[in-house]
Amino acid sequence: MSDLANYDPDIYNLIEKERLRQVNGLELIASENVVSKSVLEAVGSILTNKYAEGYPGKRYYGGCEFHDQIEDLARDRLCKLFGAEHANVQAVSGSQANQAVYFAFMQNGDKMMSQDLAQGGHLSHGSPVNITGKWYSVSHYGVDKETETLDYAQIAEQARKEKPKMIVCGASAYPRTIDFKAFKEIADEVGAYCMADVAHIAGLIAGGQHPTSVGVTDITTTTTHKTLRGPRGGAIMCGEENAKAIDKSVFPGMQGGPLMHVIAGKAVCFREALTPDFKEYAKQIVRNSQAMAEVMISEGLDLVSGGTDNHLILLDLTNLAANGSHLTGLEAETFLGEAGITVNKNTIPREKLSPFVTSGLRIGTPAVTSRGMKEEEMKQIGHWIAAVLKDVCKDKDSKKAITEVRAEVEALASGFTLYPEVK
Ligand code: PLP
């Protein structure tokens, strides 16, 4: 029996239940992935025992000689992966990476421009409920009403009027390619810093499936746990001219001791992302989401912007009638969850419902692609999603499609192991 099972069966059993949920279901949350066993091992290592405030060669604690080497490897690999001049790998999350950048270049009350949360942006891009929205003055841009894509001419016009100190680009629920060069040109015209948050698409950039922001915008932030397939955490990349300001802002500005076990996991993930296999993986993620999107369109479902260029699909549920109103994101998430398909409700452009209910669903392929699934499986999953949504639209109490799909999902999942069974 494992030490944990012996000492704390409550926690052990819950972890085991979660493992089985992941093994038996289909994880289609666009921001999630399945890390390698090597990443898991690094994150679960004895590195968690150590304080290492500071940076390699300049620590505030003794005994950091191996931590210095680990952090140097992580920084060097990240620079190599994205062609960056400087990297900081200490931010414990994507939100903290973003806050560190704002804190480095803006004062309380300064103006920033960013994509609206309700139209694909992220909380940490100045949402009124987030510290970034309370601390800075924020002007949001959205997507064009007709195309549901970013309109760079419109954003440029807004920037000329607002004169922000910083323009933030990058999103959490945007299925199309982002033109980082266009954002940088707009920022240059109005004298603003340009920060790209590539949290969602970092793995696609690393794998050559999306144009890079590194070396284009002034600063790039990312999470390491989405398409990049590493441990939960954040990272920042920039040119040498901004390196000092960024490092100072992360530590001592934002946080104390870095999570060295996670930094080791990040280093492993960056090594993996530098391999030809990872390039193929990134390609497959996009092939998979496009195959699923095609099936959904053929099933008559509405996709925001009409399709996808990346790892995610945003379903617009407003045309799925159910008892006089339309099926909500919350209902669709719940019904699909019962069928073993995990997705998340999401706001869509022109959203009329609250963020707890929503009119959309966000569906992503990074995790199922990590399990080895390809276009054929994606098409099948696309049909299953359509079958469940259409059936519950006819009768919300119907369990017919849910039960049938649940059995099919379990059969499919059993052919694609997450990790070998723990004996
Ligand atoms: N930036 C973007 C674009 C995101 O989508 C997310 C998370 O979903 C974050 C930042 C925040 O990452 P974290 O949850 O690690 O704070």
Side-chain angles (χ1 to χ4, degrees):
M1 194 187 261
S2 79
D3 288 341
L4 182 61
N6 191 32
Y7 179 73
D8 194 340
D10 296 338
I11 290 297
Y12 177 87
N13 288 332
L14 287 168
I15 294 174
E16 187 56 13
K17 280 184 183 165
E18 168 59 12
R19 189 182 69 79
L20 290 173
R21 188 194 68 81
Q22 291 188 21
V23 166
N24 295 328
L26 296 174
E27 206 69 29
L28 291 173
I29 291 189
S31 51
E32 294 183 5
N33 213 326
V34 183
V35 300
S36 69
K37 290 181 88 179
S38 306
V39 168
L40 271 187
E41 194 177 331
V43 175
S45 71
I46 44 89
L47 296 173
T48 195
N49 294 342
K50 185 84 190 89
Y51 249 112
E53 274 183 8
Y55 289 100
K58 282 188 222 144
R59 302 284 187 189
Y60 290 82
Y61 289 80
C64 289
E65 56 271 31
F66 304 117
H67 294 265
D68 282 4
Q69 291 178 50
I70 289 167
E71 189 166 346
D72 272 338
L73 276 172
R75 295 196 297 192
D76 291 350
R77 288 175 185 174
L78 185 59
C79 284
K80 189 168 172 201
L81 185 59
F82 289 96
E85 287 180 9
H86 180 74
N88 185 304
V89 294
Q90 291 198 0
V92 300
S93 70
S95 297
Q96 277 204 324
N98 290 344
Q99 284 170 26
V101 175
Y102 307 150
F103 188 58
F105 301 110
M106 289 196 289
Q107 303 298 316
N108 185 8
D110 277 352
K111 183 170 282 182
M112 61 186 270
M113 244 177 85
S114 59
Q115 191 163 337
D116 197 338
L117 174 64
Q119 297 193 42
H122 188 258
L123 272 178
S124 62
H125 296 179
S127 159
V129 297
N130 186 261
I131 186 169
T132 55
K134 298 182 198 300
W135 200 249
Y136 303 108
S137 157
V138 184
S139 170
H140 282 309
Y141 55 84
V143 293
D144 179 75
K145 283 192 178 65
E146 293 304 314
T147 62
E148 298 179 319
T149 60
L150 293 168
D151 178 338
Y152 297 95
Q154 223 169 290
I155 295 167
E157 208 178 298
Q158 189 176 339
R160 283 179 210 118
K161 195 169 126 244
E162 299 286 351
K163 297 187 177 46
K165 186 96 179 266
M166 182 172 292
I167 297 180
V168 177
C169 48
S172 297
Y174 186 67
R176 295 299 185 177
T177 300
I178 297 172
D179 187 344
F180 295 120
K181 281 192 183 136
F183 271 109
K184 174 65 173 155
E185 277 168 23
I186 295 168
D188 282 348
E189 188 192 325
V190 301
Y193 284 102
C194 189
M195 181 192 104
D197 175 349
V198 302
H200 261 264
I201 53 172
L204 302 185
I205 294 175
Q209 296 304 303
H210 190 290
T212 189
S213 60
V214 178
V216 176
T217 60
D218 300 302
I219 302 114
T220 293
T221 61
T222 187
T223 55
T224 44
H225 50 270
K226 299 188 174 78
T227 49
L228 204 48
R229 208 169 61 185
R232 312 199 74 74
I236 306 171
M237 288 169 275
C238 61
E240 283 303 342
E241 70 282 9
N242 292 317
K244 252 195 184 146
I246 290 294
D247 283 352
K248 211 169 131 198
S249 188
V250 174
F251 174 85
M254 293 289 306
Q255 58 192 51
L259 307 183
M260 290 308 302
H261 54 307
V262 179
I263 289 176
K266 288 174 183 174
V268 177
C269 144
F270 303 151
R271 183 189 173 117
E272 291 172 356
L274 279 159
T275 61
D277 277 359
F278 191 87
K279 285 203 166 52
E280 186 47 40
Y281 166 64
K283 235 186 239 169
Q284 192 63 48
I285 291 178
V286 179
R287 281 193 213 116
N288 280 355
S289 65
Q290 291 181 337
M292 196 187 292
E294 248 175 59
V295 162
M296 287 176 164
I297 291 166
S298 76
E299 286 274 7
L301 299 178
D302 282 343
L303 274 60
V304 169
S305 83
T308 179
D309 300 328
N310 58 24
H311 62 300
L312 71 86
I313 291 163
L314 197 53
L315 272 188
D316 178 339
L317 304 172
T318 52
N319 287 335
L320 282 176
N323 295 339
S325 57
H326 71 76
L327 191 70
T328 68
L330 176 60
E331 289 167 329
E333 176 190 297
T334 308
F335 291 130
L336 288 169
E338 288 174 26
I341 297 174
T342 311
V343 293
N344 68 277
K345 60 184 174 292
N346 213 99
T347 53
I348 53 168
R350 288 170 280 123
E351 182 61 71
K352 294 202 172 68
L353 303 178
S354 94
F356 296 108
V357 181
T358 81
S359 309
L361 267 193
R362 192 182 63 163
I363 299 169
T365 55
V368 286
T369 307
S370 289
R371 290 179 78 169
M373 294 186 196
K374 297 214 161 78
E375 289 96 321
E376 198 187 319
E377 288 78 30
M378 296 306 115
K379 287 179 192 167
Q380 192 59 73
I381 296 168
H383 285 303
W384 290 340
I385 290 174
V388 169
L389 297 183
K390 286 177 188 177
D391 191 46
V392 296
C393 273
K394 278 191 245 145
D395 174 6
K396 283 191 184 164
D397 294 324
S398 171
K399 296 290 171 210
K400 188 175 178 294
I402 290 174
T403 310
E404 285 167 9
V405 168
R406 170 113 220 166
E408 304 252 37
V409 162
E410 286 185 9
L412 177 66
S414 69
F416 294 88
T417 52
L418 197 65
Y419 297 110
E421 295 298 303
V422 180
K423 291 258 157 49

